[in-house]
Structures are given as C-alpha cells and as structure tokens.
C-alpha cells in the first residue's frame, strides 16, 4: 500500500509536544511547516516515549509470508519504527497455527496472542482489541497486505500525532472501495483489459507470465474484437448479483485461469472502455464486489510502482508529493486494513456496539466522540 498522506495538527496547527519529546528540533520545524508535511522518513526521528506495535489479525500464512518481509524491514532493530509485532490467532487450523509458531520464534519482538474459543471468528474483535495497552500506538495491519511503502508506517505515526482530533488514520489503500473512486480520478488507474484468448506460453514469455512477472513494461498491448469487458459480481465478490456463484461462461467472468491483463494500444485515452469506468464512491459498490476492478487496480499499481509514480495516489497534490494530502471520511465507513490508533482510544470505547470492528472504528465510535476518521 502507498504511504499514508494524512497529517494532523492540534487546534493551533502544531504538533502535540508531549508526544514528540524525542523528535529533533529540525524535524519539529519541518512538521510544522505545512508546505513540507509529507517528507520522507529520513527527515524524521522515531519517537521514543511510547511503543509502536504492529497488530496482525492472523489467519492466512501464504500472504503473511510476504507481509513478513515488510515487517522485518520496519522493525526498530533494523532501522524501522515497529518496536513489536503481535499476531492475534484468529484461526482453528492447526497447520497454520504451527506455521505462525515458527515465525514468532524468528524474532524476540514477535508475539503470539491467543483468544478464547468463544472469541474466535467475527465475534472476537472485542477480545482482540482488549489485548492492547493504553500508552502504545498500534498499527493494525490485515494479514492479506502484501506491499506497503518504505515510509508508510512513519507517515501513519506522525499523521496520528499531528491529528489528535482524529480517532484513527488509515493508509492510502489500493483495492479498497472508497479509494478506488479517488484513484481513478487522480490518474492512478490505467487502461487495461483481460486477455481473452488463451495461447501457448513459451520461454520468451517469462517476463510477462507466471508468479515472478510483474513489470507492466513487459506486457504486450491488448488486441481483440471488442474493446470492453462487462463488470460482474457487483453485489457480492465472485458471485452474480442474485448471490449465486459466477458461472465460468457468464459475462464478466474471468476468461481463463492464468490470463493476463494487458494495456490498451491508446493508453489511458480509452480508460472509459475498461471496468474501472464503473467505479463508484460507496462501500458496497463495484470496487468491493467486482473481481475485474480489483485486477485492474493491481495492474495499475504495478505500472505506477515500476515507473516510480506512486505520487499519483497522493490526495490533492499529486504533482507535489511533499505537500499535505488528506481525505476526511466525514464519519462514513472505510476499510481499516492498515490503520494507526492509540491503545487508549480503543480501550476507552470497549465493548464496541457492533461485532464488526470496522463499522465501530470508522463510523460508530467517531460519531459518538465527534472524532472523524482520516485517510
């Protein structure tokens, strides 16, 4: 996920001094200069008066194996900002739990957190959040996150410090319902369509096929009779609008297993012909339900990553990534896949009204406290 660009200040536009006791005078000066709010972490010093703890709701080893590469890089012992990482066990699969035990043994800063049997699954979010400590800041990361920028965690931490009135700060998420609509209009989504005809793969296709192929520059241009692709599964991911599984031959179903998405010959001039033209700014719209919008979002991200153009995702000032960019969710629901929040703010509001912690932390608690949520 690209770095969070939301940064907050107190009522006088300054950082809370009690939370930045270990920040250099030079850095403080930069933080209070609103023309340079989104600087890189090289300009910053990690605050030392509280712990920064990663909180992972664990259940999927395959994606956590990738996520762990980023966690390792961001540990304080390796020059990053995470003091500890807590893996909350939210699965009953013995093999997966055994895999986690092996991972936790690799670092003394890693910790396994167990819940009672009655607290696992969707009913366990209150119990998960009850494990936090008031004085620490938590970076809650979903276990299917497989990329985040080098400066994502420093950005989130200082965004939260500079925005004490916000209950939480969420990173700029790729493949998320509300942010998809924004990314489409900020120029971060590009024109791709799926390859409709399966062909024999040769050794010459190594750079554009298979699990190690990711560079958009290696893809051939799309070709076909009809430059369009229907959007299916809007109401429920992978299903028809009436809730039934999407048949393989249904309009909008994946053309075949292992197909690629290819850039259109005229580039983004034909973006309107692609599935992402159907994006809407809503929680349960096409960005949530349609696999094709998700695929196009990921291919677009890989193109932006290869071209070193992640500033395309930056809210409001895409041409100047060092300027402040923030999106106020105004009490609307938002994914909390990658979020910074104080332990105290969680503990003071337990138990949540809903078993759904996303609903609680993005809508119910912010409304109750009149503390908005920012992205």
């Amino acid at each position: 996920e690209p770095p969070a660009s939301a940064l907050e200040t107190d009522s006088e536009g300054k950082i809370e001094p009690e939370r930045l006791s270990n920040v250099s005078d030079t850095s403080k000066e930069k933080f209070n200069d609103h023309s340079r709010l989104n600087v890189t972490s090289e300009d910053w010093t990690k605050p030392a008066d509280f712990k920064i703890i990663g909180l992972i709701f664990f259940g999927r080893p395959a994606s956590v194996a990738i996520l762990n590469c980023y966690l390792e890089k961001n540990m304080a012992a390796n020059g990053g900002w995470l003091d500890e990482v807590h893996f909350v066990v939210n699965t009953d699969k013995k093999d997966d739990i055994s895999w986690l035990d092996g991972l936790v043994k690799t670092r003394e800063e890693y910790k396994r957190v167990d819940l009672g049997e009655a607290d696992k699954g969707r009913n366990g979010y209150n119990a998960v959040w009850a494990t936090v400590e008031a004085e620490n800041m938590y970076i809650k990361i979903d276990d299917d996150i497989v990329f985040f920028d080098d400066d994502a965690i420093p950005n989130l931490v200082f965004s939260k410090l500079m925005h004490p009135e916000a209950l939480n700060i969420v990173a700029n998420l790729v493949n998320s319902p509300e942010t998809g609509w924004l990314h489409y209009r900020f120029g971060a989504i590009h024109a791709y369509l799926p390859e409709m005809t399966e062909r024999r793969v040769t050794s010459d296709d190594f750079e554009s096929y298979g699990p190690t192929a990711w560079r958009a520059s290696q893809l051939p241009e799309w070709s076909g009779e009809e430059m369009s692709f229907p959007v299916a599964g809007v109401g429920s991911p992978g299903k028809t609008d009436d809730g039934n599984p999407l048949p393989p031959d249904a309009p909008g179903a994946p053309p075949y297993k292992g197909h690629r998405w290819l850039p259109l010959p005229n580039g983004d001039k034909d973006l309107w012909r692609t599935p992402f033209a159907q994006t809407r700014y809503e929680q349960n719209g096409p960005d949530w339900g349609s696999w094709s919008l998700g695929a196009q979002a990921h291919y677009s991200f890989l193109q932006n990553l290869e071209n070193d153009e992640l500033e395309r995702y930056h809210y409001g000032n895409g041409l100047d990534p060092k300027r402040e960019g923030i999106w106020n969710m105004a009490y609307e629901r938002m994914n909390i896949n990658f979020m910074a929040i104080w332990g105290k703010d969680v503990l003071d509001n337990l138990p949540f009204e809903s078993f759904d912690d996303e609903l609680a932390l993005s809508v119910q608690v912010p409304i109750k406290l009149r503390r908005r949520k920012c992205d």
Side-chain angles (χ1 to χ4, degrees):
E1 308 199 1
S5 53
L7 301 175
E8 294 240 348
T9 60
D10 62 17
S11 59
E12 296 180 355
K14 302 295 183 181
I15 304 172
E16 294 179 286
E18 68 274 13
R19 286 297 185 185
L20 295 179
S21 59
N22 194 46
V23 177
S24 67
D25 291 339
T26 301
S27 293
K28 289 179 182 177
E29 189 174 320
K30 287 179 179 178
F31 299 149
N32 288 322
D33 175 1
H34 285 220
S35 67
R36 286 182 53 79
L37 282 177
N38 197 37
V39 294
T40 66
S41 60
E42 295 176 355
D43 297 299
W44 301 344
T45 301
K46 178 184 178 297
D49 55 340
F50 57 89
K51 287 183 180 180
I52 301 170
I53 299 178
L55 186 65
I56 316 295
F57 292 18
F58 172 80
R60 290 172 278 195
S63 51
V64 173
I66 301 172
L67 171 61
N68 186 54
C69 298
Y70 296 91
L71 297 176
E72 289 269 7
K73 185 175 183 179
N74 281 271
M75 297 307 300
N78 293 330
W81 286 42
L82 290 176
D83 295 295
E84 300 174 10
V85 176
H86 296 178
F87 295 90
V88 181
V89 178
N90 197 30
T91 178
D92 293 319
K93 296 181 180 179
K94 293 182 179 179
D95 289 345
D96 292 350
I97 295 174
S98 177
W99 183 92
L100 175 62
D101 287 338
L103 176 64
V104 169
K105 291 178 182 178
T106 64
R107 297 198 68 92
E108 63 179 2
E109 306 98 324
Y110 285 3
K111 176 182 177 182
R112 168 179 160 176
V113 178
D114 289 291
L115 303 176
E117 288 300 317
D119 293 325
K120 291 182 179 179
R122 299 188 74 183
N123 295 323
Y125 290 125
N126 278 315
V128 170
W129 286 108
T131 66
V132 306
E133 297 175 329
E135 67 274 13
N136 298 327
M137 183 181 291
Y138 289 83
I139 310 297
K140 185 264 191 185
I141 306 174
D142 275 13
D143 70 349
D144 59 350
I145 296 294
V146 293
F147 172 92
F148 59 88
D149 190 85
D150 291 344
D151 295 323
I153 290 177
N155 261 299
L156 278 176
V157 171
F158 275 99
S159 297
K160 189 66 194 78
L161 291 174
M162 297 175 73
H163 281 282
E165 77 277 11
L167 181 70
N168 50 59
I169 303 289
V170 177
N172 193 335
L173 301 171
V174 171
N175 192 29
S176 180
E178 296 85 358
T179 54
W181 183 88
L182 295 170
H183 296 162
Y184 178 72
R185 281 153 178 78
F186 292 159
I189 302 299
H190 302 293
Y192 284 84
L193 285 175
E195 191 172 34
M196 300 301 294
T197 303
E198 188 171 6
R199 66 183 183 84
R200 182 173 176 270
V201 179
T202 68
S203 58
D204 294 335
D205 297 314
F206 177 77
E207 295 295 335
S208 63
Y209 268 108
T212 62
W214 68 274
R215 297 184 182 278
S217 61
Q218 300 300 315
L219 293 170
E221 289 185 345
W222 182 89
S223 62
E225 296 181 1
E226 185 175 353
M227 192 180 290
S228 65
F229 189 75
V231 174
V234 174
S236 182
K239 299 181 179 180
T240 61
D241 290 339
D242 59 6
N244 295 316
L246 194 64
D249 59 348
Y256 59 90
K257 185 177 181 179
H259 72 278
R260 301 173 297 182
W261 282 61
L262 304 178
L264 298 189
N266 292 326
D268 291 349
K269 291 181 180 179
D270 284 324
L271 185 58
W272 65 276
R273 296 178 177 271
T274 69
F276 228 97
Q278 304 300 315
T279 183
R280 297 197 299 268
Y281 185 70
E282 58 184 61
Q283 173 67 27
N284 296 312
D287 298 78
W288 166 249
S290 174
W291 73 271
S292 56
L293 270 72
Q296 191 175 348
H298 282 94
Y299 270 82
S300 297
F301 167 71
L302 293 174
Q303 178 178 326
N304 294 329
L305 181 64
E306 181 182 6
N307 293 338
D308 193 22
E309 293 182 341
L310 294 186
E311 70 272 9
R312 287 178 175 271
Y313 295 95
H314 189 83
Y315 299 148
N317 297 284
L319 297 179
D320 185 2
K322 291 186 177 181
R323 291 186 61 84
E324 181 180 21
I326 190 169
W327 192 260
N328 180 0
M329 290 304 299
Y331 306 118
E332 294 182 1
R333 181 163 179 154
M334 173 65 186
N335 290 157
I336 57 172
N337 309 57
F338 203 104
M339 173 187 71
I341 191 167
W342 285 110
K344 184 179 188 302
D345 283 337
V346 173
L347 295 175
D348 286 350
N349 291 284
L350 288 177
F352 297 142
E353 296 178 37
S354 171
F355 67 84
D356 183 347
D357 63 335
E358 182 175 282
L359 176 62
L361 291 173
S362 65
V363 179
Q364 293 172 339
V365 177
I367 288 177
K368 181 177 72 172
L369 302 178
R370 294 296 185 266
R371 295 178 64 187
R372 59 194 173 91
K373 177 174 180 286
C374 297
D375 181 53

